[in-house]
Amino acid sequence: MAWRELSRSTDDKANVENAFNLSSLADKLRNDVRSLVIMVALIGGLILWFATVGWTDRVTYRGVDQAWFEPGRVHLKTEPSGHYTIERNADFAAMKVGCVYDLNYEAEFGRRQRADRLKMVRRATLVGC
């Protein structure tokens, strides 16, 4: 029993000495900060990648939605139904009714993201007819 108490007291002394050892505390803090910076950089890089690449939906183009009118833009009818709008440009001029397209649009994060939001198409890539 005396041996256990002796070893406990020496362990307690070592812990107290380490608690007041500022160099080990500085090393631990430096490692914690480094880990935090790496984690924030990885998350930031992932968000930046999604913001630049965007999201892509594969849809069948069914024509122009005539109910909507907006100068310079066209609202698309798609299957499955979605709220897509595209500028009148070469991508839109090349689209054919009944063909399958990958519609790439900008990603949104956080509370603003909803299923029925209007998606501005950046690029329409033909998959097949």
Side-chain angles (χ1 to χ4, degrees):
M1 207 174 213
W3 179 78
R4 285 187 182 177
E5 290 175 9
L6 179 61
S7 80
R8 240 189 244 152
S9 66
T10 56
D11 289 342
D12 291 342
K13 287 179 185 177
N15 289 337
V16 169
E17 288 175 6
N18 285 338
F20 290 111
N21 188 355
L22 295 179
S23 64
S24 68
L25 183 63
D27 289 339
K28 183 178 181 321
L29 184 62
R30 190 175 305 122
N31 288 338
D32 289 346
V33 169
R34 184 181 309 140
S35 298
L36 183 65
V37 168
I38 290 170
M39 184 178 63
V40 167
L42 288 174
I43 291 171
L46 190 62
I47 289 172
L48 182 64
W49 183 77
F50 275 113
T52 56
V53 172
W55 300 107
T56 301
D57 291 344
R58 184 164 287 181
V59 298
T60 303
Y61 174 59
R62 294 293 177 204
V64 176
D65 188 359
Q66 299 294 335
W68 293 85
F69 177 76
E70 196 174 332
R73 291 189 178 163
V74 178
H75 291 266
L76 306 176
K77 284 192 229 175
T78 60
E79 189 177 296
S81 181
H83 300 282
Y84 301 100
T85 183
I86 189 170
E87 291 185 14
R88 291 184 183 272
N89 57 18
D91 282 345
F92 171 69
M95 291 178 77
K96 299 175 188 169
V97 175
C99 294
V100 177
Y101 288 90
D102 281 341
L103 300 180
N104 180 271
Y105 56 94
E106 64 185 56
E108 287 191 22
F109 301 100
R111 295 181 188 165
R112 297 182 302 158
Q113 186 176 0
R114 2 176 261 282
D116 64 340
R117 73 181 173 94
L118 190 61
K119 300 169 187 169
M120 182 64 187
V121 175
R122 293 179 180 169
R123 186 175 53 250
T125 306
L126 179 65
V127 175
C129 279

